[in-house]
Amino acid sequence: MTGRVYLDHAATSPLRPQAKAALDEGFALWANPSSPHAEGRRARAALEEARARIKASLGWEGEVIFTSGASEALALALGRAKVDRRIVSAVEHDAVLRAAPDATVVPVRAASLDPVALDEALATCGKALVAMQSINSETGTVLIPHEGTPVLAQVRAAGGWLLADCSQSAGRVPLPDADMVVVSGHKLGAPIGVGALLVRDYAMLEPTGGHERGYRAGTENLPGVLGLAAALEAGGVESWATGYPDRYDLRDMLNHTGDVVRLGPQCSHVLAVTHPTMSAQAQLIRLDAAGFAVSAGSACSSGSLKPSRVLKAFGLGDEVAQRTIRVSIGWNTTPADLAAFASAWGHLA
């Protein structure tokens, strides 16, 4: 990518050097961690040490179940939680809707779940698992601040549990208070193919048999887990090449020639920006040719020409949504990258 500027970290972030070194260490420990022989025991010891390191890095006191990524973690939580029904926000990632096709969908209002609609959904008989992104992957809207949210009190008052999809926040900012948390490795500089489901207690899930204390089938990805631990230990947003002023300066620069979408409290590393006249697809083509990698919505749906379901659920009209792209910053983004992008985007016509 020499000579190019990569600003699609919300889709996948480049591998951190520390994670690459940990991968090499993991490949040397090639045995199955469940095997009883000496080689297997060495692999198991490394796996459990990494589990403890990850819990410490995230400030998590519950349990950690390693998965192949956020989609599997979501499927595990939504499919195996000991609840009677599932409630999801209207702006969740498609992976949530695939994992819980029969879930009650609650609209968002003022950057949170509509409290009246949520109360109505929670009033239905039985325990509920409520799934909600901590930071929306298309707009950067903070839906579950780590300082706390009224949604959590509302859910727990009804005897339910909160599942926080922290794919865009874990490893950058502190985790929110939640009963289950989803972590994605490749969005924070860890390898592709590793993630985790954090749970307060294993008893919240129906066991599946197999590995991870019987809660996940499939041999653990030891090199990936070591890479995840190393990436988390490398630090959050405070360790990035861009500081807070740089990231907020980008918003100001883009606002001179377009409109940074603001749908409530915003994180500093994911933002949606609307061009005055040009379609998102045309922007992506022009910017890619100029050496800039950005996206339109989530990577899983960016190839679609339909208006974003998420942007519509936030209340943006189709015409505005079709002119909106996503810019996302990561651990190796420099201030010069941001200035170059702002200049290039400002000259689109």
Side-chain angles (χ1 to χ4, degrees):
M1 298 292 288
T2 302
R4 290 180 59 85
V5 173
Y6 184 81
L7 295 173
D8 197 19
H9 292 261
T12 292
S13 196
L15 191 65
R16 281 180 176 261
Q18 300 93 329
K20 185 178 185 301
L23 272 176
D24 292 339
E25 175 189 346
F27 289 136
L29 295 169
W30 44 263
N32 190 319
S34 295
S35 296
H37 45 61
E39 290 82 357
R41 294 196 302 274
R42 280 196 293 272
R44 170 60 61 181
L47 183 76
E48 296 309 321
E49 180 186 17
R51 197 187 309 272
R53 291 163 57 198
I54 288 168
K55 290 171 65 172
S57 294
L58 292 171
W60 182 254
E61 296 182 355
E63 308 296 347
V64 176
I65 300 171
F66 293 123
T67 66
S68 61
S71 292
E72 185 191 357
L74 287 164
L76 199 162
L78 290 162
R80 295 290 176 174
K82 293 180 180 177
V83 295
D84 302 296
R85 55 209 168 80
R86 291 141 187 85
I87 299 170
V88 304
S89 89
V91 297
E92 294 307 298
H93 191 278
D94 286 347
V96 171
L97 304 184
R98 287 193 298 268
D102 58 345
T104 300
V105 179
V106 174
V108 294
R109 183 165 63 85
S112 188
L113 289 179
D114 184 306
V116 175
L118 179 57
D119 265 341
E120 291 174 354
L122 289 168
T124 307
C125 294
K127 177 187 284 289
L129 178 67
V130 179
M132 190 174 175
Q133 288 181 330
S134 62
I135 291 176
N136 184 262
S137 57
E138 294 192 31
T139 66
T141 305
V142 179
L143 296 168
I144 312 178
H146 65 265
E147 299 91 350
T149 171
V151 169
L152 179 62
Q154 205 172 348
V155 171
R156 288 184 175 164
W161 293 331
L162 180 64
L163 166 63
D165 179 0
C166 293
S167 297
Q168 300 296 342
S169 61
R172 291 79 141 183
V173 296
L175 296 181
D177 185 11
D179 302 292
M180 300 185 191
V181 172
V182 168
V183 177
S184 174
H186 70 105
K187 298 182 188 298
L188 57 88
I192 291 174
V194 67
L197 174 65
L198 315 184
V199 294
R200 293 290 184 195
D201 193 294
Y202 286 126
M204 301 171 77
L205 301 173
E206 293 286 353
T208 61
H211 301 273
E212 290 299 280
R213 299 345 190 243
Y215 289 91
R216 190 251 181 179
T219 301
E220 294 93 345
N221 175 5
L222 178 57
V225 168
L226 294 179
L228 176 59
L232 287 169
E233 289 173 343
V237 292
E238 74 284 349
S239 72
W240 290 4
T242 49
Y244 277 107
D246 304 313
R247 296 196 291 275
Y248 286 115
D249 285 348
L250 174 64
R251 291 178 180 169
D252 294 337
M253 288 186 283
L254 295 179
N255 268 328
H256 288 307
T257 48
D259 181 28
V260 175
V261 177
R262 297 176 186 270
L263 301 164
Q266 295 288 128
C267 73
S268 65
H269 57 279
V270 179
L271 63 155
V273 59
T274 302
H275 193 275
T277 59
M278 188 176 293
S279 72
Q281 293 300 322
Q283 291 177 65
L284 298 189
I285 292 169
R286 293 278 299 277
L287 289 166
D288 189 41
F292 298 92
V294 293
S295 65
S298 69
C300 302
S301 59
S302 60
S304 172
L305 296 179
K306 297 179 181 179
S308 165
R309 169 185 62 79
V310 169
L311 294 182
K312 290 178 69 175
F314 269 119
L316 271 67
D318 286 354
E319 197 271 336
V320 173
Q322 288 172 338
R323 291 186 282 109
T324 300
I325 64 172
R326 179 183 70 182
V327 181
S328 48
I329 300 164
W331 63 271
N332 64 345
T333 305
T334 67
D337 291 338
L338 301 184
F341 174 77
S343 176
W345 193 79
H347 285 89
L348 291 177

